[in-house]
Amino acid sequence: MTAKKLLYVCSFAVASLLVAACAKENASDVNQNKIYTDYEVFYNKNTDKTWVVARFRFGGATGTVLELDSGAYVTFNNDTLPYNAVFMGHYKEYAGHISSGTFTYHNLSGQNFVNTLPVCDTLAFQPGFDTLQKSQAQTIGWDGPALAPNQGVGIFVGGWTWGDDALAYQDGDGATSLVLGINQMNSLPVGPATVYMDRQTELNVAQGTSEGGKIRAKFRAKNRVVQVVN
């Protein structure tokens, strides 16, 4: 599994949890041209809320977390996003489904970087999906358009017990389903399990520093509770 896929599917395990705040620095303390930007708009149909997050790191995608300060700021659709330690970035929550918008990042060198959210199609579990059989691979389709370039769909199956879960990811152009293999389902306990399904479109930023960055739109389908059987 590539690093991109691993990071994507692991988001299922933490998206609904509060993550611990990590050490950060102020953006004013670093070279402005070495700031990596990561923008995300995530709609969760289960809560009918949209999270908007702009994250900044020094030196690349895994660099030190930065908080914008001293006159630097980031907006989404003209709303200034305040820093939130839980999300390790500048964050705001909105009611309903936000499917379009523009981030504007103003740095301390007086530069403005403007990036528009890509389109992310919606999806839903197909009717009749109510069982996972551990002894055989299972194809899981979705109601919604086939995957276009730069899109992916991931599934996470499990609960709150660490290790009792399963993951699958699909990013093939034109795909309309993904496969959970028996090795992936081996750790699932027999009984009820919640299945999460996310779709995302991710692009490189159109405007950014020499470090670059990513911008993504994500849509979470209504969760499905299924029975895991042998």
Side-chain angles (χ1 to χ4, degrees):
M1 180 178 288
T2 66
K4 175 184 174 182
K5 291 179 182 178
L6 180 60
L7 288 171
Y8 178 71
V9 295
C10 284
S11 70
F12 287 97
V14 300
S16 58
L17 300 175
L18 294 180
V19 296
C22 67
K24 66 173 178 65
E25 293 185 14
N26 291 328
S28 59
D29 294 332
V30 304
N31 183 334
Q32 299 297 288
N33 200 44
K34 299 293 289 182
I35 296 178
Y36 177 92
T37 52
D38 184 280
Y39 307 109
E40 180 171 297
V41 174
F42 171 61
Y43 173 71
N44 187 340
K45 191 171 179 62
N46 300 277
T47 60
D48 193 32
K49 294 179 180 180
T50 299
W51 292 351
V52 176
V53 190
R55 297 183 176 94
F56 301 86
R57 291 181 178 268
F58 177 63
T62 60
T64 303
V65 174
L66 299 174
E67 178 181 356
L68 301 184
D69 70 318
S70 301
Y73 61 86
V74 60
T75 65
F76 179 75
N77 288 348
N78 297 317
D79 282 348
T80 299
L81 304 179
Y83 186 79
N84 185 304
V86 171
F87 288 86
M88 296 180 289
H90 292 257
Y91 162 86
K92 191 168 184 178
E93 183 178 85
Y94 297 87
H97 183 197
I98 295 177
S99 58
S100 62
T102 299
F103 289 92
T104 301
Y105 161 45
H106 178 84
N107 71 7
L108 295 180
S109 297
Q111 298 171 296
N112 286 313
F113 303 100
V114 180
N115 288 276
T116 299
L117 190 69
V119 173
C120 182
D121 295 309
T122 63
L123 82 171
F125 287 102
Q126 292 181 332
F129 172 55
D130 56 13
T131 305
L132 283 173
Q133 187 170 349
K134 294 178 59 173
S135 61
Q136 63 184 40
Q138 184 155 341
T139 299
I140 302 175
W142 57 81
D143 283 344
L147 292 182
N150 304 306
Q151 292 186 344
V153 167
I155 280 186
F156 173 79
V157 187
W160 295 101
T161 302
W162 178 257
D164 292 347
D165 51 42
L167 300 168
Y169 180 84
Q170 171 65 267
D171 64 357
D173 294 356
T176 58
S177 64
L178 48 71
V179 175
L180 271 174
I182 55 176
N183 290 337
Q184 293 163 292
M185 294 187 288
N186 184 57
S187 62
L188 292 177
V190 172
T194 302
V195 187
Y196 304 80
M197 182 164 59
D198 286 4
R199 181 176 192 137
Q200 75 169 20
T201 304
E202 181 180 86
L203 301 174
N204 293 323
V205 293
Q207 295 186 13
T209 71
S210 60
E211 289 297 329
K214 298 289 185 181
I215 184 168
R216 77 186 61 81
K218 296 181 68 173
F219 180 96
R220 173 163 292 174
K222 192 79 170 177
N223 297 342
R224 182 69 60 88
V225 177
V226 303
Q227 287 294 319
V228 178
V229 300
N230 286 315

